[in-house]
Amino acid sequence: MSSEIIYASKFMGLKTLALENSSSDRRNATKDALLSTAERLYAERGLDAVSMREITREAGQRNSTALQYHFSSKQALVFAIINRRMNDGDSRRLEFLHDLELRGKLDDVRSLVGAMVEPVAVGIKLPKRWPAEHWWVRFLSEVQRCPEFDLVELAKTASDLGLRRVYMLLGKQLRHVPDVVLRQRFLIAMSQALHGLAELDRLRERRRRSRQRFDVERAIENLIDMTAGALSAPVSIEVTRRLEP
């Protein structure tokens, strides 16, 4: 085989690879645009008020079937958004717990509740640093409102090592709370924290439009106080009786 043929063959191969990479980059960019647009629209208006066609149009896609190409259904789209954000949030939570461990605070209930709340609050607390997280809490709140989805089950398919560790550490500190009661309290506490953060974000936006000051960091710290108090509350006689065989 002549050197010219070998050169031409290598050139064509490199050109094909470059075209494949370019096509892959475009697909990924389209997918990211669809995910971000869906997250924002769902967060603003709720899951039942937004159509797949509207998401495609808002994402700037001329092909009306782009969303169906990347995500076969609304359920698949919601799962993809959760999987993308929750993995990042779990990494932040594990870092938060590592910091607590270095400071000897893993036995402090309020600090552990902070590990529940703070990693999902970054888009509210530090919007300039975490602009991509702006709609995340409101989106989660809307998913929880929708009976079509079970957020607890959806979370299991993503990374939740941090949350599981928080739950285990809380169990060691709240030994007066029976396991079945603690699990119920933990799930309700997470749900209330998400809805609370979403409402704080809406309140901050309303205050900003009317040029009123709003201390969002104090509000989040207060939410952590409330959540820690609810988890630590004594178990009543009424609840204890219901636990008896």
Side-chain angles (χ1 to χ4, degrees):
M1 183 181 294
S2 69
S3 59
E4 290 82 359
I5 295 176
I6 293 174
Y7 176 80
S9 177
K10 288 182 177 179
F11 176 76
M12 290 304 297
L14 290 173
K15 187 175 181 180
T16 300
L17 181 61
L19 288 172
E20 289 176 352
N21 289 337
S22 178
S23 178
S24 177
D25 290 344
R26 285 197 299 271
R27 284 197 299 270
N28 290 335
T30 298
K31 190 174 181 180
D32 286 342
L34 290 167
L35 285 170
S36 297
T37 301
E39 183 179 1
R40 173 177 62 82
L41 292 177
Y42 285 150
E44 287 179 325
R45 291 156 47 192
L47 273 68
D48 292 331
V50 181
S51 69
M52 301 286 270
R53 179 174 294 182
E54 187 174 4
I55 293 169
T56 303
R57 185 175 64 250
E58 285 283 325
Q61 300 303 310
R62 295 180 180 178
N63 187 346
S64 61
T65 63
L67 194 59
Q68 285 77 12
Y69 172 80
H70 289 282
F71 310 101
S72 58
S73 64
K74 177 180 175 181
Q75 288 78 6
L77 175 61
V78 169
F79 167 74
I81 296 169
I82 289 174
N83 195 53
R84 179 173 70 158
R85 294 278 185 237
M86 196 163 283
N87 290 336
D88 291 340
D90 198 53
S91 296
R92 290 194 295 271
R93 185 170 286 110
L94 289 170
E95 290 175 6
F96 196 100
L97 288 169
H98 179 64
D99 181 64
L100 291 182
E101 186 174 14
L102 293 177
R103 294 190 288 125
K105 303 275 283 183
L106 288 181
D107 59 351
D108 179 61
V109 171
R110 190 188 183 281
S111 296
L112 292 173
V113 172
M116 292 169 57
V117 175
E118 294 281 5
V120 292
V122 294
I124 300 173
K125 202 170 182 180
L126 301 166
K128 292 182 179 179
R129 182 180 173 186
W130 301 95
E133 300 278 339
H134 177 71
W135 300 107
W136 174 230
V137 169
R138 288 203 219 176
F139 167 79
L140 284 177
S141 178
E142 293 300 331
V143 172
Q144 281 200 321
R145 295 178 197 276
C146 186
E148 185 179 350
F149 296 96
D150 184 340
L151 188 55
V152 174
E153 289 301 316
L154 287 171
K156 289 179 181 178
T157 60
S159 178
D160 65 345
L161 292 175
L163 270 181
R164 281 188 278 164
R165 190 174 182 214
V166 169
Y167 179 75
M168 179 193 70
L169 291 166
L170 282 171
K172 291 181 179 180
Q173 303 307 316
L174 302 175
R175 296 188 183 278
H176 67 286
V177 183
D179 290 343
V180 64
V181 176
L182 180 60
R183 175 170 173 76
Q184 188 177 59
R185 286 186 180 186
F186 185 79
L187 293 175
I188 292 173
M190 278 301 302
S191 177
Q192 289 179 330
L194 289 175
H195 289 311
L197 287 170
E199 185 52 37
L200 290 179
D201 193 35
R202 295 186 188 97
L203 178 59
R204 183 187 62 174
E205 193 171 285
R206 291 196 296 271
R207 293 285 180 86
R208 181 182 58 79
R209 286 199 299 265
S210 61
R211 297 183 179 180
Q212 292 180 289
R213 185 177 179 275
F214 179 58
D215 190 341
V216 69
E217 291 198 25
R218 184 187 66 188
I220 291 173
E221 296 294 347
N222 189 38
L223 178 63
I224 292 172
D225 288 346
M226 294 164 56
T227 306
L231 287 169
S232 305
V235 181
S236 68
I237 294 175
E238 290 78 6
V239 171
T240 303
R241 285 173 181 167
R242 300 293 298 182
L243 296 173
E244 294 175 357

